[in-house]
Amino acid sequence: MTTDTQDRETTDGFHLVIDALKLNDIDTIFALPGIPITDFLRMAQADGLKVISFRHEQHAGNAAAAAGFITGKPGICFTVSAPGFLNGLTALANATTNCFPMILISGSSEREVVDLQQGDYEEMDQLAIAKPLCKAAFRVLHAEDIGVGIARAIRAAVSGRPGGVYLDLPAKLFAQSMDKEAGRKSLIKVVDPAPKQLPAPDAIKRAVDLLKGAKKPLIILGKGAAYAQADAEIKSFVEKSGIPYLPMSMAKGLLPDNHNQSASAARSYVLAEADVVMLVGARLNWLLSHGKGKTWGAGASKEAGKQQFIQIDISPTEADSNVAIAAPLVGDVGSCISALNQAIASGWSKPPSDWTGAIAERKDKNLTKMQETLSKNPPVMNFHSALNVIRNTVKDNPKAYLVNEGANALDFTRSIVDMYEPRRRLDVGTWGIMGIGMGFAVAAAAVTGEQVIAVEGDSAFGFSGMEVETICRYNLPVCVVVMNNNGIYKGTDVNPRGDAMAPTQFVKNARYDMMMQAFGGVGVVAKNPEELDRALKEAIASRKPTLINAMIDESAGTESGRITSLNPAAAKKKTA
Ligand code: ADP
Ligand code: TZD
Ligand code: MG
């Protein structure tokens, strides 16, 4: 047999992984090269996969997670062994926490050496370390099992509650060869990877009965509802039922934020007053005060409110995790809402007008107050005057993706900038994690081709700032707005000893804009709303990688933004 014929008749681990991904409609991978995956990435690119190469694995991983949330297909991240794997692990754990489907695929060192701890290059028992941080973890040792490994990883990532999956591919696997035809046959195209899960009819009846008896019903839409891509069903249920709704941060835009049933501008009123609350793909975690305490109209912080809850969730064990759920609806959001739509098709009456009227009254008052604050133009730009510009920009560009992280930069943006389209807001999620910014921005731009606006606290930006090179290298339509207040929360802290900077302070008036210029992108300093507006308009018209260094009043923020109260208070005050 000549080498030529051999080539045609055999395949290897490299190509089987590529073929298995392509067979399952994966078209993009986020990665950082090195032993043993450098050649893999070259071959993947040569075979038509889009390979986005990053400067740090955490951001490649975050990009995969965001791609998973946006598309509903698992986002794929490739890293090298030990340190590369560990760098990717934060993103994997964050994806799992947020229920975003992603697969972290890491090359690993020689099994025999790793298992005997004999000191291999980048030695680490990666599988064991990944396991507690993801939904499932698999290792493939033989080329003929690659098809099964990829198939299991895909199913685990997107079926049921989505999340992160780890796939361990030892270096030796890539080089293993096998008969080409046998290899082809070993691959699996996953059929129906995220099967519908229909709610039981009696559970639907229980939920509808509860809703029908409600005097002050409320719907809370979470990022699970956004992820489910059941936008039309959800809109029709909300509108047909007439029930006021609150979107959680990443569910903003599922219905446009200016919808007349949105109760966002009366949030504290509706949470404390509602009698029946329907959670749709939203957990009663810290972001909803665990369903307890003052937020929910109860007295003590550990006391549950008087509300009765309906909870739609694909995870059967989510109900009762914080307070009693009177009517759990286990199933996918699309199937549950469509069953509810059928159930209220006849014999439904809208919520009492004294409830909707009281909400409307509070909303009007708060929106008027907000408008007054936004239209002020203080001599030094602050969060409000800057975000008023971004609010108008997003209104004019509703399809743009808004990435958002920081403390004040996060909280003010979430409450000021309205969203109009589903899944357009990508942020710090369940953990309130810093560092998702540039990874999420790259993913949104690369996967959708739409304009991305990333509103970043100056601290938040620092966690992934080096990826502006990635943005420039792939010439992505990303406009980063750094809300530069010279520090974490504020730039005004002082070190009482006076011998060094305070821990929350940064170099004053830092030129983040020059970071973008360093790689050929556009960098602009904006000292007032007019300059910010002009720079944003130019960035969007040109689609050029842009960083706007928005100089914000360094005294404008508050400690930890909206969650100041989570800071532990010292029992003993230190005396000088
Ligand atoms: P938020 O932070 O917006 O409140 P969470 O992340 O706390 O949202 O909650 C999302 C919930 O959505 C999770 O409990 C998850 O199991 C659920 N979920 C995710 N996808 C679906 C789906 N397709 N159908 C039903 N529930 C889903
Ligand atoms: N590290 C990680 C990974 N996540 C975190 N959430 C934090 C640290 C703590 N942290 C916050 O919760 S917000 C924040 C940090 C460091 C930065 C706030 O500063 P900023 O935003 O400049 O990004 P503002 O606008 O100045 O408040
Ligand atoms: Mg800051």
Side-chain angles (χ1 to χ4, degrees):
M1 232 192 314
T2 66
T3 325
D4 235 26
T5 347
Q6 249 173 7
D7 272 357
R8 263 183 274 124
E9 289 175 356
T10 61
T11 184
D12 57 22
F14 287 110
H15 290 93
L16 286 165
V17 174
I18 295 167
D19 292 347
L21 292 172
K22 286 174 72 172
L23 183 65
N24 285 290
D25 304 320
I26 302 291
D27 51 19
T28 306
I29 55 189
F30 305 95
L32 202 156
I35 297 170
I37 60 158
T38 316
D39 270 347
F40 169 81
L41 296 175
R42 292 192 182 109
M43 291 175 198
Q45 193 170 46
D47 266 2
L49 281 164
K50 191 175 193 177
V51 178
I52 311 267
S53 180
F54 282 76
R55 304 298 293 261
H56 188 291
E57 290 87 351
Q58 189 175 125
H59 313 308
N62 284 329
F69 172 75
I70 294 168
T71 64
K73 289 196 291 187
I76 309 288
C77 173
F78 271 83
T79 79
V80 303
S81 5
F85 157 78
L86 285 174
N87 284 346
L89 207 51
T90 304
L92 183 71
N94 187 54
T96 307
T97 300
N98 283 283
C99 316
F100 299 159
M102 76 169 275
I103 305 173
L104 175 69
I105 306 181
S106 295
S108 59
S109 302
E110 196 164 331
R111 283 258 48 84
E112 290 80 352
V113 184
V114 172
D115 288 346
L116 276 170
Q117 298 173 28
Q118 293 174 305
D120 204 0
Y121 167 71
E122 300 196 343
E123 175 182 297
M124 177 171 275
D125 187 1
Q126 298 168 193
L127 190 69
I129 290 166
K131 262 183 191 160
L133 300 171
C134 57
K135 271 188 82 180
F138 305 101
R139 176 186 291 135
V140 182
L141 291 175
H142 303 291
E144 61 264 34
D145 294 329
I146 286 173
V148 170
I150 300 272
R152 298 209 71 186
I154 291 173
R155 267 197 198 284
V158 294
S159 62
R161 171 182 280 177
V165 173
Y166 175 61
L167 188 61
D168 194 86
L169 303 184
K172 273 188 180 170
L173 177 79
F174 290 103
Q176 279 178 27
S177 67
M178 72 181 284
D179 175 74
K180 195 168 188 172
E181 184 55 15
R184 196 183 59 76
K185 285 191 182 151
S186 73
L187 301 184
I188 295 174
K189 182 165 172 65
V190 177
V191 176
D192 199 9
K196 278 190 181 157
Q197 286 181 224
L198 272 61
D202 59 332
I204 289 289
K205 185 173 180 314
R206 193 187 295 123
V208 172
D209 286 349
L210 198 56
L211 276 181
K212 281 186 173 166
K215 301 261 180 309
K216 298 173 172 183
L218 174 69
I219 295 170
I220 297 183
L221 301 172
K223 57 173 138 23
Y227 172 78
Q229 301 200 14
D231 312 337
E233 288 285 358
I234 291 172
K235 182 168 185 286
S236 112
F237 180 75
V238 170
E239 291 180 346
K240 170 86 207 311
S241 72
I243 300 175
Y245 73 94
L246 273 184
M248 299 299 286
S249 192
M250 283 180 63
K252 276 166 69 78
L254 196 40
L255 284 95
D257 277 335
N258 58 359
H259 195 284
N260 64 2
Q261 282 171 258
S262 167
S264 287
R267 188 177 192 272
S268 36
Y269 175 74
V270 292
L271 288 180
E273 287 292 320
D275 62 354
V276 174
V277 178
M278 184 166 105
L279 299 157
V280 186
R283 287 170 285 188
L284 271 179
N285 56 17
W286 70 280
L287 287 158
L288 284 170
S289 309
H290 306 281
K292 297 175 193 171
K294 267 203 200 132
T295 309
W296 293 92
S301 66
K302 302 249 172 195
E303 198 178 293
K306 55 192 177 319
Q307 293 78 6
Q308 286 192 289
F309 287 99
I310 299 163
Q311 183 163 33
I312 298 181
D313 206 291
I314 200 151
S315 167
T317 54
E318 184 53 38
D320 304 331
S321 53
N322 285 278
V323 296
I325 301 296
L329 273 177
V330 178
D332 66 282
V333 165
S335 300
C336 292
I337 297 282
S338 107
L340 288 173
N341 271 329
Q342 279 171 28
I344 65 160
S346 60
W348 175 261
S349 33
K350 297 211 167 176
S353 56
D354 51 354
W355 174 232
T356 48
I359 297 171
E361 206 176 290
R362 274 163 182 87
K363 257 181 78 171
D364 284 351
K365 213 167 75 195
N366 291 338
L367 288 173
T368 311
K369 225 192 296 171
M370 167 79 95
Q371 203 48 56
E372 274 167 23
T373 317
L374 289 179
S375 55
K376 280 188 195 141
N377 193 356
V380 184
M381 185 159 69
N382 62 13
F383 286 105
H384 290 89
S385 58
L387 285 166
N388 187 37
V389 174
I390 296 173
R391 173 185 163 95
N392 292 331
T393 307
V394 171
K395 193 172 186 185
D396 293 342
N397 299 276
K399 294 219 175 303
Y401 281 78
L402 183 75
V403 173
N404 190 201
E405 59 178 336
N408 296 284
L410 175 89
D411 294 336
F412 285 125
T413 305
R414 186 181 47 240
S415 60
I416 292 170
V417 179
D418 285 342
M419 303 304 296
Y420 302 89
E421 298 274 340
R423 292 171 294 285
R424 289 309 196 278
R425 192 184 147 84
L426 308 171
D427 68 24
V428 301
T430 303
W431 267 349
I433 191 173
M434 298 297 113
I436 48 84
M438 298 305 102
F440 279 17
V442 167
V447 166
T448 71
E450 298 285 354
Q451 176 69 44
V452 177
I453 301 166
V455 179
E456 302 273 313
D458 49 343
S459 165
F461 173 68
F463 287 74
S464 65
M466 191 63 206
E467 302 296 343
V468 295
E469 190 276 334
T470 309
I471 292 168
C472 289
R473 183 159 26 100
Y474 293 101
N475 195 25
L476 296 171
V478 174
C479 176
V480 183
V481 183
V482 175
M483 304 296 255
N484 189 354
N485 62 352
N486 295 337
I488 299 178
Y489 313 137
K490 277 175 186 253
T492 49
D493 254 4
V494 282
N495 168 6
R497 297 173 67 100
D499 55 355
M501 297 281 274
T504 57
Q505 273 185 301
F506 294 152
V507 165
K508 302 269 184 213
N509 306 317
R511 295 293 303 277
Y512 296 104
D513 47 298
M514 292 171 85
M515 288 175 66
M516 193 59 107
Q517 288 171 356
F519 304 108
V522 178
V524 189
V525 177
K527 292 208 174 77
N528 55 50
E530 296 72 46
E531 288 173 1
L532 177 57
D533 186 49
R534 197 177 321 127
L536 270 165
K537 288 203 165 90
E538 273 169 27
I540 290 169
S542 71
R543 288 173 58 89
K544 282 189 190 150
T546 302
L547 191 150
I548 306 173
N549 191 359
M551 310 306 285
I552 302 290
D553 181 352
E554 64 173 7
S555 66
T558 56
E559 179 91 0
S560 306
R562 199 177 53 82
I563 52 177
T564 309
S565 63
L566 298 185
N567 285 297
K572 180 173 175 244
K573 293 268 175 269
K574 203 164 179 202
T575 44

